[in-house]
Amino acid sequence: MFFPGVERPIRKPASFLFVVGSLATSFLLLGAEPAKGPAEPLENPPIGPFGYSLINTEDGGLLEEGSFQSVEECADCHERQAEEMAGSMHQLAHTDPIYRATAELARVEAGEEVYLHCAGCHSPQGVTMGLFHGTTEETLPDIAKQGILCDVCHQITELTGTSGHWGEPGNASFVISPDEDRKFGPPAGDDAAADHLVETREFLASSEFCASCHTIIHPLNGLRLEHTYAEWKDSVYAEKGIQCQDCHMRSVETAVRVAETMVPATVIGRSEPSGEEREISPHFFTGANANVEQLGGSAERAAMAEARLKSAARLEIVSPESVEAGQPLGFDVVVHNVAAGHNLPTSLTELREMWVELKVLTEAGEVLLHSGGLEENGDISPRAMRFGALAGDAQGNVTYKPWEVEQFLFKRLVPPKGSESDQFEVPLPRELSGRVRIDAKLFYRSAPPKVVASLLGDESFEVKQVEMASANAEIAVD
Ligand code: HEC
Ligand code: HEC
Ligand code: HEC
Ligand code: HEC
Ligand code: HEC
């Protein structure tokens, strides 16, 4: 079955295999969910000092240099948070080589205002202090390269998304109000003990805060390029009050428990070594990027991302107990999103890839069906049951450059607590007897290797392929 308006990659029916259909228990039609359709393009995109980014300061002008302290300065007292954040994708947000390559292309092909749009989320301090004006990567001051600083999140005074053009957060819709002696803290804090003033900002404990960077809208055509927040907002997690922080500012084990019980979990610790024990929020921000070690993080961080990915999904095979030789064996493969508070995969879905590798084998090990293997160039075989998106430019050609995206050619994502399934059919040879075995594995990788190689101009970057889940079944052949 083809979804209206959604082009699936063509699955050429091979002699022994064809996908019979796709039974989406919870379906995702492009444009069917208003939150994910295009937003109104900006009529007059802001092209002030912050380019197309919606990031702002109190007077709309550039901030003085020195408006942000480095992570090391906060770490003098808040060592715990600094250690937790070290090597996270937040810290690598500017230096991440895959981001760097794409952003430099944006600068050349689309201009400075688009580059600033990118950097408004990937290096907010660089944009608000005007450090990208008239500099190159070589001459850029170091503070701009330090990703998302403590002093970005803890100097945000106001979220402007809901009062802005789109009436929803996105494209760095917030105001930064720096003050060396004042930090904004979450509602759970005990402000009295701090060495600096602390003002409470309730929004720090809410998904809307994360949404200001985790929703990307193409400023010129209104297309939603990343909509993790909208996916969450439509889900049972939002209904039960489970925020992004309840999973991403918790260990993977705790987050899995949160997804199972649908009740947020509290962590007790110290915000600062001399402080009282209190409710804290670990700053690991573990996501799905298992390449994080090669991007400048550590092996430990990569292991955390793998653990998060392995916690997210369950794979199921629905098959008959027996089948007659010479008859086709029909079965369903079902992918369940059990622990992600948003679609699976989410965010940069035009780059992210998730797919099922499937084998049907006889007892003697003869392969009756193999789908979802890798081609020689590293591509996933075109017949695979796959998830993610293909973004297209105005002419309908596939593109990985966010500024070129005018449409989505394909999008298939597993909604939170939902599932997606495909039917398969394999003709069994007449002479077959004994048992037939179905082996299925669910894989994830952050980007197609050939795209990474072309962006980096280097074939040696090894994109990690993570096995998220597996399932198997045995069927008697009568
Ligand atoms: C509204 C905030 C925002 C804007 C604007 C933005 N990004 Fe990002 N970017 C993100 C977030 C959040 C992620 C991580 C999502 C994920 O992990 O899937 C990300 C991830 C990426 C990645 C993936 C990196 C990797 O290692 O896999 C690339 C590449 C990237 N962005 C490039 C760009 C470019 C180029 C632009 C400008 C044209 C841009 N981004 C604009 C927030 C933003
Ligand atoms: C000289 C030591 C010191 C430095 C440097 C310092 N802090 Fe703090 N900070 C504290 C103490 C002490 C507390 C209170 C801890 C507690 O409540 O247990 C605190 C509390 C906080 C809180 C939590 C407030 C709340 O109510 O939950 C935030 C947020 C914070 N600091 C951010 C920062 C940031 C960002 C930096 C760097 C720009 C920084 N701090 C630098 C000592 C420091
Ligand atoms: C119930 C727990 C849970 C909640 C709530 C949750 N997440 Fe996630 N998140 C996960 C899991 C599990 C993964 C790994 C699987 C995946 O990539 O979706 C993940 C992955 C991610 C990724 C990496 C995606 C990729 O493929 O690169 C980003 C970015 C992210 N989450 C952001 C958010 C934001 C923003 C929110 C709130 C709007 C949020 N998450 C809410 C559990 C959660
Ligand atoms: C991406 C945004 C972000 C960054 C970067 C960030 N924080 Fe936080 N921080 C938060 C949020 C959100 C909370 C509150 C979470 C909640 O209440 O659910 C928080 C809570 C805190 C608290 C109080 C709770 C606790 O865990 O102690 C302190 C102190 C703090 N941050 C300090 C820091 C320091 C120091 C750094 C840099 C090493 C830092 N933060 C980096 C978003 C951030
Ligand atoms: C100032 C913008 C900004 C804010 C605020 C922000 N993020 Fe991010 N986040 C990013 C960017 C940019 C990246 C990706 C960097 C990259 O891949 O190069 C990212 C990456 C992540 C990842 C890792 C994704 C992966 O693939 O591993 C997670 C998880 C995440 N953010 C969660 C959160 C949560 C939860 C909050 C709210 C508490 C939050 N972020 C607030 C900009 C932001």
Side-chain angles (χ1 to χ4, degrees):
M1 183 182 83
F2 287 81
F3 296 140
V6 184
E7 266 180 50
R8 290 286 199 77
I10 300 155
R11 301 174 192 228
K12 283 198 205 108
S15 54
F16 55 87
L17 153 78
F18 51 97
V19 177
V20 177
S22 165
L23 296 175
T25 49
S26 319
F27 57 94
L28 249 188
L29 298 184
L30 279 187
E33 291 173 61
K36 294 174 196 77
E40 263 314 293
L42 289 176
E43 266 173 33
N44 298 301
I47 41 171
F50 314 130
Y52 291 160
S53 178
L54 297 186
I55 200 165
N56 217 339
T57 58
E58 274 183 0
D59 64 5
L62 292 175
L63 298 172
E64 290 170 12
E65 287 202 30
S67 294
F68 297 83
Q69 287 175 261
S70 68
V71 172
E72 288 70 39
E73 287 171 273
C74 308
D76 276 348
C77 301
H78 299 291
E79 203 182 348
R80 196 206 90 227
Q81 294 86 341
E83 272 175 14
E84 290 164 351
M85 214 173 73
S88 66
M89 288 314 298
H90 278 162
Q91 192 148 56
L92 303 175
H94 175 86
T95 49
D96 168 354
I98 299 178
Y99 166 70
R100 282 254 47 78
T102 323
E104 289 302 338
L105 257 184
R107 201 172 206 174
V108 173
E109 293 188 4
E112 201 69 16
E113 56 273 28
V114 172
Y115 183 78
L116 293 175
H117 176 233
C118 315
C121 296
H122 286 261
S123 172
Q125 66 280 14
V127 171
T128 47
M129 291 192 293
L131 302 178
F132 294 108
H133 298 300
T135 52
T136 62
E137 193 53 21
E138 285 66 44
T139 58
L140 187 67
D142 200 48
I143 188 95
K145 299 180 181 171
Q146 293 173 13
I148 300 159
L149 299 169
C150 317
D151 241 359
V152 166
C153 293
H154 291 291
Q155 296 199 111
I156 293 178
T157 187
E158 192 193 338
L159 303 185
T160 52
T162 43
S163 59
H165 177 78
W166 290 307
E168 60 173 304
N171 289 9
S173 51
F174 49 76
V175 176
I176 299 193
S177 308
D179 181 343
E180 202 182 329
D181 301 321
R182 177 198 59 190
K183 302 301 153 204
F184 298 117
D190 167 13
D191 313 348
D195 289 78
H196 43 74
L197 285 175
V198 177
E199 271 182 40
T200 299
R201 285 294 181 273
E202 302 278 341
F203 62 66
L204 278 170
S206 74
S207 294
E208 283 66 31
F209 169 68
C210 314
S212 52
C213 290
H214 284 267
T215 295
I216 309 183
I217 299 178
H218 192 303
L220 301 182
N221 62 27
L223 213 61
R224 285 187 166 74
L225 302 177
E226 282 193 23
H227 40 65
T228 302
Y229 169 74
E231 297 159 5
W232 169 85
K233 186 86 178 142
D234 281 350
S235 77
V236 61
Y237 294 97
E239 221 171 87
K240 303 271 183 196
I242 295 166
Q243 314 292 322
C244 316
Q245 289 84 338
D246 289 315
C247 292
H248 291 289
M249 297 186 82
R250 298 290 180 269
S251 67
V252 172
E253 299 70 41
T254 305
V256 167
R257 206 170 66 239
V258 168
E260 271 167 15
T261 59
M262 298 305 276
V263 180
T266 307
V267 184
I268 301 297
R270 290 178 212 280
S271 280
E272 191 268 349
S274 66
E276 300 278 313
E277 286 216 320
R278 45 162 285 178
E279 208 176 292
I280 58 159
S281 292
H283 280 56
F284 292 106
F285 298 109
T286 304
N289 204 323
N291 297 327
V292 57
E293 185 181 6
Q294 291 129 285
L295 299 174
S298 61
E300 193 197 350
R301 304 274 338 178
M304 287 161 72
E306 283 197 28
R308 179 136 282 166
L309 278 166
K310 285 176 191 290
S311 78
R314 188 166 65 79
L315 197 56
E316 185 191 6
I317 296 169
V318 183
S319 59
E321 276 178 19
S322 64
V323 65
E324 264 178 59
Q327 293 299 307
L329 162 64
F331 60 93
D332 290 349
V333 175
V334 192
V335 180
H336 298 270
N337 176 349
V338 292
H342 34 67
N343 291 339
L344 203 58
T346 187
S347 69
L348 225 66
T349 50
E350 61 270 36
L351 216 51
R352 310 306 189 211
E353 295 185 306
M354 190 173 89
W355 73 100
V356 175
E357 181 171 12
L358 195 62
K359 279 185 187 159
V360 179
L361 304 147
T362 65
E363 261 175 44
E366 190 196 338
V367 179
L368 299 174
L369 175 157
H370 183 195
S371 104
L374 294 183
E375 318 250 280
E376 231 163 71
N377 66 356
D379 280 357
I380 300 157
S381 76
R383 289 195 303 271
M385 177 183 191
R386 67 184 295 171
F387 303 89
L390 280 180
D393 64 13
Q395 286 74 44
N397 301 314
V398 172
T399 181
Y400 298 97
K401 302 172 183 175
W403 58 95
E404 280 186 357
V405 179
E406 293 282 344
Q407 55 183 315
F408 282 96
L409 308 169
F410 163 77
K411 204 179 252 197
R412 190 181 191 196
L413 310 165
V414 190
K417 294 276 182 190
S419 61
E420 281 280 312
S421 72
D422 273 357
Q423 287 181 340
F424 292 84
E425 210 173 78
V426 196
L428 300 182
R430 254 182 243 288
E431 64 282 8
L432 196 68
S433 64
R435 303 178 81 79
V436 164
R437 185 182 160 89
I438 307 173
D439 270 334
K441 289 181 169 43
L442 181 69
F443 288 111
Y444 174 95
R445 63 185 187 191
S446 288
K450 71 170 187 215
V451 174
V452 174
S454 91
L455 276 169
L456 301 180
D458 176 4
E459 305 270 327
S460 66
F461 189 101
E462 205 185 310
V463 177
K464 281 267 189 73
Q465 178 174 325
V466 178
E467 184 184 317
M468 296 175 68
S470 64
N472 51 62
E474 289 206 352
I475 296 107
V477 182
D478 303 329

